[in-house]
């Protein structure tokens, strides 16, 4: 068998590991600053958790879930998204006693999509949710937090916030019926993919990238006509808040999101730097979902961002976290090596040694890796119990006793 990884999966190492570590660090800090509690849920759940909330007719449920029968015949699914598992965890662990609940998590999701740049079958998401309030301030807080996180990780990238409101579930239902009727009449002019969605999921025709669909959609009924005054005011308040905070946005009445549980506010941060997989972060309200899953009838809102897509836009990170290399000329000096390693470990000074007893090879490795300092142990150092430290940037070499090293490296 030829050794290979599964299509749509990838190994993360080197530069990308460093980028992911930085993303996690920034996200965790921002979460702390905004008082979100971290939660981790299992990678698989009972399949029935997902089908209804995400939509029996959504692409994710129809074609993309990794589901399998466990040995006891129970159907399990690798989580395709994090919102439903988070709600499940909040309900089963009684976390909804004190509201609002603000939680976040990072982790792997699985969808059997057609892989392409920015779209994978195993990918990582950052996810933030607030359960238990319908105050527009929560919508605003989450959008602002998303903007803040993206800006902190990607100071040199351009992305733009797209906003829409879908109204409450009953308005949305009415709107979907109107859309179905509208598209039915124009069925022959739609793409094959959209034809299939006329009855089941007409909203998705609105955000199709196909030119024929875009043409037909341009005259489709506008969602704004179906939205209650209360919902309109909720949306207006969010927009006023964004204006007040000077966060730019575009109002996009065709923004509908891919999962079925949404209503009211929906939003996406999009970039033009990634080709067709251009959404960095997406989310919205899902009032009603927590009740559908067996919890109390409380509202919820959240977003998720794709770590791989963010990472693709990041500048390279500095890989030089090693402070000193060791260079040893002979096996005879092993006790000295152990001493210096013990000293460096105890003083939290990062070090590297290539297990070679060859000054030239160790020095050239340090030069290649652009390391600043090398600690040298040769005959003179061993016999007279001192260490030579060379600064590779200046070429200057100093003789030091062990207890002088820390201060020297820190100065
Ligand atoms: P989503 O739009 O399906 O929403 O995914 C959110 C983000 O995850 C996308 O904008 C994208 O950056 C990333 N993403 C999705 N699929 C892939 C893929 N196949 N490969 C790489 N990245 C991907 C949700 O998942 C909702 N649960 C978000 C949410 C949270 N809504 C409310 N709370």
């Amino acid at each position: 068998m030829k050794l290979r990884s599964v299509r749509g999966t990838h190994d993360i190492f080197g530069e990308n590991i460093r980028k992911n570590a930085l993303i996690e660090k920034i996200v965790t800090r921002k979460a702390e600053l905004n008082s979100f509690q971290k939660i981790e849920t299992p990678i698989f759940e009972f399949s029935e958790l997902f089908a209804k909330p995400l939509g029996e007719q959504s692409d994710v449920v129809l074609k993309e879930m990794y589901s399998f029968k466990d040995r006891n015949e129970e159907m399990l699914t690798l989580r395709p998204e994090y919102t439903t598992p988070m709600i499940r965890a909040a309900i089963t662990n009684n976390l909804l006693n004190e509201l609002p609940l603000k939680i976040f998590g990072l982790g792997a999701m699985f969808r059997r999509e057609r892989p392409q740049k920015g779209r994978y079958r195993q990918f990582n998401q950052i996810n933030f949710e607030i359960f238990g309030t319908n105050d527009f301030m929560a919508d605003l807080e989450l959008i602002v937090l998303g903007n803040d996180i993206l800006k902190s990780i990607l100071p040199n990238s351009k992305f733009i916030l797209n906003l829409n409101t879908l109204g409450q579930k009953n308005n949305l239902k009415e709107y979907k019926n109107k859309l179905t009727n509208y598209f039915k009449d124009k069925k022959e002019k739609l793409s094959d993919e959209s034809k299939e969605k006329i009855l089941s999921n007409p909203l998705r025709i609105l955000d199709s990238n196909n030119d024929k669909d875009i043409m037909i959609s341009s005259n489709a009924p506008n969602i704004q006509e179906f939205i209650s005054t209360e919902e309109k005011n909720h949306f207006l308040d969010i927009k006023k808040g964004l204006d007040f905070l000077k966060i730019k946005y575009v109002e996009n009445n065709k923004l509908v999101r891919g999962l079925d549980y949404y209503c009211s506010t929906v939003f996406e941060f999009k970039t033009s730097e990634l080709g067709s997989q251009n959404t960095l972060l997406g989310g919205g309200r899902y009032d009603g979902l927590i009740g559908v899953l067996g919890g109390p009838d409380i509202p919820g809102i959240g977003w998720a961002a794709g770590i791989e897509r963010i990472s693709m836009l990041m500048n390279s990170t500095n890989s030089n976290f090693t402070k000193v290399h060791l260079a040893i000329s002979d096996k005879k000096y092993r006790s000295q090596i152990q001493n210096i390693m013990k000293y460096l470990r105890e003083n939290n000074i990062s070090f590297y040694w290539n297990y070679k007893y060859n000054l030239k090879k160790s020095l050239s490795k340090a030069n290649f890796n652009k390391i600043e300092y090398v600690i040298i142990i040769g005959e003179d150092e061993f016999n007279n119990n001192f260490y030579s430290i060379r600064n590779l940037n200046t070429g200057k070499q100093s003789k030091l006793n062990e207890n002088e090293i820390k201060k020297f490296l820190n100065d």
Side-chain angles (χ1 to χ4, degrees), residues 183-222:
F183 286 125
K184 252 190 203 160
D185 288 346
K186 318 211 161 26
K187 184 170 176 183
E188 290 320 311
K189 294 186 184 146
L190 290 171
S191 69
D192 288 343
E193 213 179 310
S194 288
K195 274 183 196 144
E196 287 173 20
K197 294 188 173 137
I198 296 177
L199 287 177
S200 58
N201 204 356
L203 281 180
R204 285 322 301 263
I205 304 178
L206 294 179
D207 70 351
S208 155
N209 289 328
N210 181 293
D211 286 339
K212 288 200 280 186
D213 298 339
I214 293 174
M215 267 269 290
I216 304 290
S217 292
S218 62
N219 290 321
N222 190 330

Side-chain angles (χ1 to χ4, degrees), residues 81 83 111 113 118 120 125 129 257 261-262 279-280 302 306:
E81 62 105 46
T83 310
R111 294 183 196 174
E113 300 195 73
Y120 311 101
Q125 274 188 348
E129 311 287 347
R257 309 275 306 127
Y261 52 59
Y262 291 105
T279 307
L280 291 173

Side-chain angles (χ1 to χ4, degrees), residues 51-142:
K52 203 164 162 210
L54 307 194
E56 313 267 0
Q57 298 300 330
S58 65
D59 284 349
V60 174
V61 172
L62 281 179
K63 315 184 257 203
E64 296 170 2
M65 295 210 303
Y66 281 97
S67 299
F68 55 96
K69 231 182 220 165
D70 201 357
R71 284 170 190 241
N72 60 3
E73 302 291 304
E74 280 169 334
M75 280 305 287
L76 303 178
T77 294
L78 300 184
R79 62 183 181 199
E81 62 105 46
Y82 219 167
T83 310
T84 29
M86 280 192 173
I87 295 175
R88 197 272 307 138
I91 297 171
T92 52
N93 295 291
N94 291 323
L95 305 179
L96 296 173
N97 295 337
E98 254 186 77
L99 295 175
L101 180 67
K102 296 169 72 175
I103 51 178
F104 83 105
L106 299 107
M109 307 295 144
F110 304 83
R111 294 183 196 174
R112 200 176 189 288
E113 300 195 73
R114 199 162 43 78
Q116 63 179 94
K117 184 181 160 199
R119 187 162 75 190
Y120 311 101
R121 290 181 172 175
Q122 176 173 341
F123 58 98
N124 291 287
Q125 274 188 348
I126 304 160
N127 208 98
F128 281 80
E129 311 287 347
I130 302 181
F131 302 147
T133 174
N134 48 26
D135 194 326
F136 81 90
M137 292 294 280
D139 308 39
L140 194 58
E141 181 182 345
L142 276 170

Side-chain angles (χ1 to χ4, degrees), residues 65-325:
M65 295 210 303
Y66 281 97
S67 299
F68 55 96
K69 231 182 220 165
D70 201 357
R71 284 170 190 241
N72 60 3
E73 302 291 304
E74 280 169 334
M75 280 305 287
L76 303 178
T77 294
L78 300 184
R79 62 183 181 199
E81 62 105 46
Y82 219 167
T83 310
T84 29
M86 280 192 173
I87 295 175
R88 197 272 307 138
I91 297 171
T92 52
N93 295 291
N94 291 323
L95 305 179
L96 296 173
N97 295 337
E98 254 186 77
L99 295 175
L101 180 67
K102 296 169 72 175
I103 51 178
F104 83 105
L106 299 107
M109 307 295 144
F110 304 83
R111 294 183 196 174
R112 200 176 189 288
E113 300 195 73
R114 199 162 43 78
Q116 63 179 94
K117 184 181 160 199
R119 187 162 75 190
Y120 311 101
R121 290 181 172 175
Q122 176 173 341
F123 58 98
N124 291 287
Q125 274 188 348
I126 304 160
N127 208 98
F128 281 80
E129 311 287 347
I130 302 181
F131 302 147
T133 174
N134 48 26
D135 194 326
F136 81 90
M137 292 294 280
D139 308 39
L140 194 58
E141 181 182 345
L142 276 170
I143 294 172
V144 171
L145 178 64
N147 185 60
D148 187 22
I149 288 178
L150 289 179
K151 275 225 152 76
S152 304
I153 304 174
L154 303 171
N156 302 320
S157 286
K158 285 204 181 73
F159 41 84
I160 179 84
L161 168 61
N162 282 236
L163 269 188
N164 194 15
T165 176
L166 302 177
Q168 278 308 321
K169 282 273 180 211
N170 52 340
N171 309 123
L172 191 56
K173 210 169 151 195
E174 203 187 325
Y175 178 56
K176 277 187 190 167
N177 287 339
K178 277 271 164 9
L179 272 185
T180 297
N181 287 338
Y182 172 82
F183 286 125
K184 252 190 203 160
D185 288 346
K186 318 211 161 26
K187 184 170 176 183
E188 290 320 311
K189 294 186 184 146
L190 290 171
S191 69
D192 288 343
E193 213 179 310
S194 288
K195 274 183 196 144
E196 287 173 20
K197 294 188 173 137
I198 296 177
L199 287 177
S200 58
N201 204 356
L203 281 180
R204 285 322 301 263
I205 304 178
L206 294 179
D207 70 351
S208 155
N209 289 328
N210 181 293
D211 286 339
K212 288 200 280 186
D213 298 339
I214 293 174
M215 267 269 290
I216 304 290
S217 292
S218 62
N219 290 321
N222 190 330
I223 190 153
Q224 292 306 317
E225 293 156 29
F226 297 80
I227 288 174
S228 66
T229 316
E230 198 187 341
E231 273 302 322
K232 278 191 179 142
N233 287 338
H234 182 94
F235 195 47
L236 201 63
D237 283 334
I238 297 172
K239 290 188 287 185
K240 277 191 203 153
L242 292 170
D243 291 336
F244 177 73
L245 295 167
K246 298 197 168 47
I247 295 177
K248 285 204 187 100
Y249 59 86
V250 291
E251 215 177 313
N252 175 355
N253 289 152
K254 302 245 151 43
L255 179 71
V256 295
R257 309 275 306 127
L259 307 167
D260 252 23
Y261 52 59
Y262 291 105
C263 60
S264 187
T265 320
V266 286
F267 52 91
E268 288 186 349
F269 284 89
K270 289 175 179 289
T271 169
S272 56
E273 295 168 42
L274 277 182
S276 67
Q277 298 309 308
N278 59 0
T279 307
L280 291 173
L281 181 157
R285 277 206 166 267
Y286 42 83
D287 303 343
L289 176 60
I290 299 173
V292 165
L293 288 173
D297 188 16
I298 52 168
I301 177 165
W303 57 253
I307 292 186
E308 284 75 10
R309 292 188 193 173
I310 294 176
S311 157
M312 281 158 78
L313 297 181
M314 282 170 83
N315 295 333
S316 5
T317 51
N318 186 3
S319 62
N320 253 351
F321 50 82
T322 304
K323 184 85 175 175
V324 280
H325 274 206

